Amino acid sequence: MRALILDFGGVMTDLGGGSGADEPPMVTATRAVRAAGLRTALLSNADGGFDQPEWAELFDAVVVSGTVGVAKPDPEAYALTARRLEVPPEQCVFVDDLRRNVDGAVAVGMVGVHHHSARGTVDELEALFGLSLRGQPL
């Protein structure tokens, strides 16, 4: 696997059960994936609001449906994100809290992770990438 693509609401915003961490666990995991030299992207069905400077340090690409005109689970949303990362879909892991969006990613060849909890998702990502992705215990 060469890339991690994440949804925003429900994934990046998951506080991990109030663990008291400095940042949400999925933000910490994303930093670790990117620090390991892998590509990262945010793929959101939001209308906008993702032009904050902090996203540049977390993501190589930000794809927002309100801006690009295509939304998950449309296959083009995933294909566009993979193209922007310059990584084939088959080398991408996609994380979303909505099953239909995960199914859409799998349909284009990505590995899909259905997010239920920060702990479970980080466990799964550690196995897929072979990396330690925790800043502190969840």
Side-chain angles (χ1 to χ4, degrees):
M1 294 293 114
R2 296 177 32 215
L4 174 62
I5 303 169
L6 302 119
D7 176 47
F8 180 72
V11 176
M12 296 301 289
T13 59
D14 185 342
L15 298 177
S19 64
D22 292 337
E23 63 187 6
M26 295 309 301
V27 172
T28 301
T30 303
R31 285 186 200 287
V33 166
R34 193 153 190 226
L38 303 170
R39 308 283 286 165
T40 59
L42 181 74
L43 174 55
S44 175
N45 277 353
D47 290 330
F50 291 97
D51 52 359
Q52 298 99 341
E54 61 265 20
W55 296 124
E57 69 182 47
L58 278 180
F59 300 109
D60 297 293
V62 175
V63 178
V64 179
S65 64
T67 303
V68 300
V70 63
K72 304 174 287 184
D74 185 317
E76 182 55 26
Y78 309 101
L80 173 64
T81 306
R83 284 193 306 271
R84 289 193 177 177
L85 289 174
E86 300 177 344
V87 175
E90 297 79 14
Q91 290 295 310
C92 297
V93 175
F94 174 75
V95 179
D96 201 302
D97 60 320
L98 297 177
R99 185 75 190 153
R100 70 178 176 272
N101 293 339
V102 174
D103 292 344
V106 170
V108 299
M110 294 182 179
V111 172
V113 175
H114 188 191
H115 178 85
H116 295 283
S117 71
R119 178 186 304 270
T121 298
V122 171
D123 286 348
E124 203 162 339
L125 293 176
E126 285 182 332
L128 287 166
F129 288 108
L131 298 169
S132 175
L133 304 177
R134 300 168 196 275
Q136 62 186 24
L138 297 176

